[in-house]
């Protein structure tokens, strides 16, 4: 069923002198039915297409809060699974995205301290990637930017501290196991001696 034509509810541009001539309004891209935007029609801000509620469910982007169709959502926050549109990912608007592994975080998770992002955009070469990918590039000899190499130094320092902490924990566990083994041997030898007395 089509919409009645009038000045406020026109579904196609008819003014030949305007650039909107021939452009369809209130028309679903999938089923080609006509609905007004107040009823069932939604607009995707990425592909600039109208969809009715029967054909496609639109979701709001966590970063820009505009509605987008499912085809335009290629990214989700790795922490809260909120949808982040491709435009925001491309422009790094209110989100953090590693271009190498695809890891993305919405600004809400980062600002609330739910997750501490390791995605860093270099001001010298504009490379935007996480610490894991930057370290991998460094080890493969693919980093030529001094700022990126400085960032790797912080990562290596953090990794070194983490490994030292793990070594200390392993030493403590090792001592504990040695004490348990010693106790077991003592108990075993006492048992053998008591058996010999019998």
């Amino acid at each position: 069923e089509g919409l009645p034509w009038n000045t406020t509810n026109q579904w196609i541009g008819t003014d030949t002198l305007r650039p909107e001539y021939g452009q369809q309004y209130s028309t679903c891209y999938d089923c080609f039915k006509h609905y007004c935007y107040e009823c069932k029609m939604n607009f995707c801000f990425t592909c600039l297409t109208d969809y009715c509620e029967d054909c496609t469910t639109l979701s709001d982007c966590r970063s820009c809060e505009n509605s987008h169709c499912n085809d335009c959502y290629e990214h989700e926050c790795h922490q809260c699974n909120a949808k982040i549109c491709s435009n925001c990912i491309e422009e790094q608007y209110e989100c953090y995205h590693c271009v190498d592994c695809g890891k993305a975080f919405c600004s809400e998770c980062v600002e609330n301290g739910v997750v501490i992002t390791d995605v860093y955009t270099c001001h010298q070469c504009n490379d935007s990637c996480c610490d894991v990918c930057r370290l991998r590039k460094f080890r493969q000899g693919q980093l030529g930017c001094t700022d990126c190499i400085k960032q790797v130094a912080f990562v290596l320092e953090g990794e070194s501290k983490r490994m030292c902490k793990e070594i200390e924990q392993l030493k403590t566990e090792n001592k504990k196991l040695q004490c348990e083994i010693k106790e077991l041997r003592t108990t075993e030898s006492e048992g053998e001696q008591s058996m010999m007395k019998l």
Side-chain angles (χ1 to χ4, degrees), residues 71-129:
D71 291 338
C72 291
Y73 277 118
E74 298 174 358
H75 306 278
E76 290 183 349
C77 175
H78 276 59
Q79 181 64 33
C80 68
N81 297 325
K83 301 280 189 185
I84 305 173
C85 72
S86 303
N87 289 342
C88 289
I89 288 290
E90 213 171 284
E91 296 169 14
Q92 295 279 318
Y93 176 72
E94 296 292 322
C95 62
Y96 303 87
H97 174 245
C98 175
V99 294
D100 289 346
C101 67
K103 186 164 57 173
F105 296 103
C106 68
S107 58
E108 197 169 308
C109 283
V110 175
E111 285 164 12
N112 292 341
V114 177
V115 65
I116 298 170
T117 180
D118 58 354
V119 178
Y120 168 78
T121 302
C122 177
H123 300 292
Q124 188 175 338
C125 68
N126 284 331
D127 187 26
S128 180
C129 64

Side-chain angles (χ1 to χ4, degrees), residues 11-185:
W11 66 271
I12 192 164
T14 55
D15 189 347
T16 55
L17 301 176
R18 296 182 60 83
E20 295 86 10
Y21 175 71
Q23 185 171 335
Q24 293 183 355
Y25 303 101
S26 305
T27 306
C28 176
Y29 181 78
D30 279 349
C31 67
F32 300 110
K33 291 181 181 176
H34 310 298
Y35 300 101
C36 62
Y37 290 99
E38 289 78 17
C39 296
K40 295 181 75 170
M41 193 63 69
N42 294 306
F43 181 72
C44 175
F45 281 83
T46 301
C47 61
L48 306 177
T49 307
D50 290 322
Y51 293 100
C52 73
E53 291 175 359
D54 296 333
C55 292
T56 303
T57 304
L58 274 73
S59 306
D60 290 339
C61 172
R62 175 62 63 88
S63 299
C64 66
E65 297 180 358
N66 287 331
S67 58
H68 303 271
C69 65
N70 292 332
D71 291 338
C72 291
Y73 277 118
E74 298 174 358
H75 306 278
E76 290 183 349
C77 175
H78 276 59
Q79 181 64 33
C80 68
N81 297 325
K83 301 280 189 185
I84 305 173
C85 72
S86 303
N87 289 342
C88 289
I89 288 290
E90 213 171 284
E91 296 169 14
Q92 295 279 318
Y93 176 72
E94 296 292 322
C95 62
Y96 303 87
H97 174 245
C98 175
V99 294
D100 289 346
C101 67
K103 186 164 57 173
F105 296 103
C106 68
S107 58
E108 197 169 308
C109 283
V110 175
E111 285 164 12
N112 292 341
V114 177
V115 65
I116 298 170
T117 180
D118 58 354
V119 178
Y120 168 78
T121 302
C122 177
H123 300 292
Q124 188 175 338
C125 68
N126 284 331
D127 187 26
S128 180
C129 64
C130 66
D131 288 344
V132 174
C133 292
R134 188 169 276 111
L135 185 60
R136 177 183 48 77
K137 285 180 181 178
F138 174 75
R139 287 178 172 153
Q140 292 172 349
Q142 296 175 347
L143 282 186
C145 169
T146 53
D147 279 2
C148 285
I149 292 169
K150 285 177 188 175
Q151 188 68 19
V152 169
F154 290 117
V155 176
L156 289 171
E157 186 182 356
E159 198 175 88
S160 174
K161 286 178 181 176
R162 183 182 56 78
M163 288 178 76
C164 287
K165 194 176 179 181
E166 282 181 14
I167 289 167
E168 290 303 315
Q169 287 175 345
L170 287 169
K171 282 181 180 177
T172 307
E173 285 176 23
N174 190 24
K175 283 180 183 176
K176 190 179 175 184
L177 286 169
Q178 283 179 351
C179 290
E180 286 177 8
I181 290 167
K182 192 175 181 181
E183 285 176 17
L184 284 169
R185 284 182 177 162

Side-chain angles (χ1 to χ4, degrees), residues 2-15:
L3 291 170
W5 186 92
N6 57 47
T7 53
T8 58
N9 212 14
Q10 187 176 346
W11 66 271
I12 192 164
T14 55
D15 189 347

Side-chain angles (χ1 to χ4, degrees), residues 191-198:
E192 285 175 359
Q193 286 175 5
S194 60
M195 287 289 287
M196 286 174 68
K197 286 178 182 177
L198 291 172

